Structures are given as C-alpha cells and as structure tokens.
Amino acid sequence: MSIPAPAPAAGTEPVPSAAEVVDSMEEMSGGPFPGQRRSSARGICFKGTFEPSGDAARLTTASHLRDAPVPVTVRFSNSEGNPDVPDGAPVTRGMAVRFHLPDGEATDLVALSVPRFVASTPAEFLRLTRALRPDPGTGQPDMARVRAFVAAHPHLAEPITQQPPVPVGYGTLAYWAVHTFVWVDEESVRRPVRYRWEPAAGRQALTPKDAARQAGDYLTDEFRRRLARAPVAFALRVQLAEEDDPTADPSVAWPEQRREIDAGRLVITAPVDDQERWEAEAFSPLRLTAGIEPSDDPVLAFRARAYAESYGRRSRQE
Ligand code: HEM
C-alpha cells in the first residue's frame, strides 16, 4: 500500500492562478459548458425584500442591516459546473443574495447548503478538484485518488465526506456563507461574524428513495408552486466569534453554542422579471458595503479572482 505524502501546511504554498483553478474546475465537471458558470451552473432567480430586525444595528454600520427594508435578488443553484446534472443529485446547493441599497449601491451574500467548505486554502481546493476529475474510462472520479487526497488532508475528511441533504425544495435548506466577515460599528470596533440563512419552513430533506423519484428540474417546479401559495422566507442568523474562533479557515465551523443574533428576514415573493439578465449577472462574496469587511480567510480573497475568470469566460460564450 502506498502512503500518501502529507499535505503542505496551510499558508506555505504559493497561491494558484485563477485560470489554473477554473481550468481544473472545468475538467472536474466534464466541461467547459459554453456560456455557463464554472460552478453552480444550473440556477433560477427570484425577487423579494430583506427587512432588518434592528438587532445588528449597534454592531455594524451596514445600512441594509439597520435601516429600512431593501429589495433583493436571489439566485438558487446546484453547485455542479454541469448544468445537466439533475436536481435529485446529492450535491451542495447555493443561495446568492444581492441586496439593492440606496443610491444604486449593492452588496452580496453568497452561501452554500453545508456548514464547512471543502478546503482551507486555494491550493488545497485546486488539488481537490484535480483529485475529483473524472476518469476517462468510467466518467466517474477515481475513488482511490480521492481517498489518497483525504488521507493526505485529514482535516478535510469531514467536509469532503459530508452528505449534503437532497431538499424538499430550495426553500427548506439552511445555507451558510462559511467564511468569516468582519462587522465594523460606529466606534470602529471590529467583530468577526459568520452568516447562516435559516428557512422559515424548517429544514426538510427527502429520503434517498424519494430523491431518486424526482424529475430533473423538480427544485425549480417545487419553488414556483411553493411561491404561488405564499412568500418564502429565511431568517438571517449571525454568529459572533469568541476569542479563539478561527477566522481564516472556512473548513472549520464555529461551535453551535456561539452567541447568535437574528439580523433580519428575507421574503421572496416572485420570480425575477428578466431571468436571462440575472443568469448573466455575477454575484461576488466580496461585493461588500461600508460596515462589512473581509476577514483574513485566503479562500475568500481568492474567490473574487476565480469568479471574475469564470464570468469572463462565460461572457465570451466560452
Ligand atoms: C476556492 C474556493 C472557491 C472557488 C474557486 C469557487 C469558484 C466558483 C466559480 C468559478 C463560480 C462561478 C462564478 C460565476 O461565473 O459567476 C462559483 C459560483 C458559486 N459559488 Fe463558489 N467557489 C469557491 C468557494 C465557494 C464557497 C466557500 C461558497 C459558499 C460559501 C461558494 C458558493 C458559490 C455559489 C452559491 C455560487 C453561485 C453564485 C451564483 O448564483 O451566481 N463558493 N464559485
């Protein structure tokens, strides 16, 4: 039996280029699929409102978290880069929210349906995508290669093997922004925070048997039917860090007992009027507004470059 080489310590490796990572993501998903996002290709957009509760007002100057309600655009997606992967697949789902602020400004909150990311650094993410690329013979990842990756990165074993639930609908999942962000208050006091959207309908998953019975686009259909009955709501829950909570590693969750506030309520009311325009849009975890800053997380910093690379390629219909 060969023993995999241990992974280099986080932070000691050179940061890969965005092009290298996006190339590898394309290979991993069997792409490229021209005109499509290189991750979360299959998605659908809705509109609604975010109403702040007021509880965040003394912790951040961000206007949408303390003042009047603001309009939002929300894109739900399946995380795969292949837009033809059916909705019943046990993959991570995404929820990207754009808050439309006064004076034409905007800020985004981009989240996934799992609490921990699958890599601590961009270099680890690149190696993982390479380990997951399909074997040309079977069209599936080579499980021996995946096991070797996990053995060499034991701290990622849990996030990589976590089974994302197959939801009853996009409106019955919790979504985590995973990274740490820093809230800045009126006195310039800085506080590390983490966000989670909690569905008002409660978390509800399908059994594997029911998931296998669903049509390929059941998530879109289910959401439209749910919306026709009533608006779909989420609470924005925010964890406040304690002294030693890690801020730079999105693969590590903070303890669930951390003090949490309810920052407000998102209410989705209807599909967007122009689906095509919103499909062509680019959400970004680093589109921030005054009162919210990025943390020292290297994955968060890297994402802006990878998203710009993917956006450039899909805008050119590559
Ligand atoms: C090294 C880390 C990551 C890389 C390289 C990466 C890469 C990408 C790329 C290339 C896209 C397509 C962007 C576009 O064309 O607009 C994307 C979309 C997305 N990513 Fe990531 N990602 C990373 C980490 C994360 C994390 C940590 C989260 C969640 C917290 C996340 C959630 C999403 C979501 C929800 C979308 C779809 C956004 C939309 O609907 O437009 N990603 N990602």
Side-chain angles (χ1 to χ4, degrees):
M1 189 186 109
S2 69
I3 298 176
T12 60
E13 287 179 282
V15 179
S17 73
E20 236 177 322
V21 170
V22 172
D23 283 347
S24 184
M25 292 173 77
E26 287 176 355
E27 220 181 309
M28 173 177 72
S29 62
F33 300 93
Q36 302 284 344
R37 285 166 172 74
R38 270 39 182 183
S39 171
S40 310
R42 181 190 186 80
I44 175 150
C45 301
F46 297 91
K47 61 183 174 183
T49 306
F50 177 77
E51 185 167 354
S53 67
D55 289 0
R58 61 190 175 78
L59 304 174
T60 169
T61 58
S63 65
H64 63 299
L65 298 175
R66 51 191 284 156
D67 299 336
V70 291
V72 294
T73 308
V74 182
R75 182 173 184 270
F76 291 107
S77 56
N78 296 340
S79 59
E80 301 293 291
N82 177 350
D84 299 324
V85 170
D87 282 355
V91 300
T92 309
R93 321 287 159 173
M95 178 177 175
V97 178
R98 166 125 346 138
F99 301 85
H100 301 280
L101 308 182
D103 302 326
E105 212 206 326
T107 183
D108 292 352
L109 183 46
V110 184
L112 287 176
S113 60
V114 287
R116 300 171 61 180
F117 192 53
V118 289
S120 307
T121 63
E124 276 181 3
F125 182 72
L126 175 60
R127 284 201 297 279
L128 175 61
T129 56
R130 286 181 175 157
L132 287 170
R133 68 179 178 259
D135 181 282
T138 63
Q140 296 299 318
D142 172 348
M143 287 320 288
R145 204 165 48 202
V146 178
R147 277 194 295 273
F149 178 88
V150 172
H153 305 76
H155 65 292
L156 299 176
E158 214 178 293
I160 288 175
T161 53
Q162 68 198 340
Q163 266 288 334
V166 177
V168 168
Y170 282 131
T172 68
L173 277 174
Y175 299 84
W176 288 258
V178 173
H179 305 287
T180 303
F181 292 85
V182 178
W183 275 2
V184 186
D185 72 13
E186 280 166 358
E187 314 294 322
S188 302
V189 174
R190 298 161 55 79
R191 290 183 183 83
V193 299
R194 286 189 170 183
Y195 302 100
R196 180 179 84 252
W197 291 110
E198 201 57 62
R203 301 183 195 181
Q204 300 171 48
L206 295 176
T207 61
K209 207 164 138 204
D210 284 343
R213 274 205 287 260
Q214 302 300 319
D217 57 355
Y218 87 90
L219 286 174
T220 304
D221 275 2
E222 197 276 349
F223 203 88
R224 286 183 189 279
R225 272 186 276 118
R226 188 178 287 269
L227 256 191
R229 292 195 300 271
V232 179
F234 289 85
L236 181 57
R237 307 287 308 177
V238 183
Q239 279 187 310
L240 305 176
E242 283 185 13
E243 195 71 38
D244 295 324
D245 287 336
T247 56
D249 190 345
S251 75
V252 180
W254 291 349
E256 283 183 10
Q257 319 76 278
R258 283 292 164 272
R259 188 156 84 84
E260 216 171 78
I261 64 163
D262 189 341
R265 185 176 164 86
L266 177 77
V267 180
I268 299 172
T269 49
V272 289
D273 304 321
D274 188 347
Q275 204 58 244
E276 223 171 285
R277 174 239 180 282
W278 279 102
E279 267 307 297
E281 186 57 45
F283 292 86
S284 167
L286 285 172
R287 182 175 288 106
L288 300 175
T289 187
I292 306 175
E293 294 179 0
S295 64
D296 53 349
D297 181 336
V299 176
L300 176 58
F302 182 77
R303 282 175 70 193
R305 298 203 286 282
Y307 287 42
E309 179 70 26
S310 169
Y311 178 69
R313 292 183 191 192
R314 66 184 166 93
S315 303
R316 296 187 296 269
Q317 289 304 309
E318 292 169 8

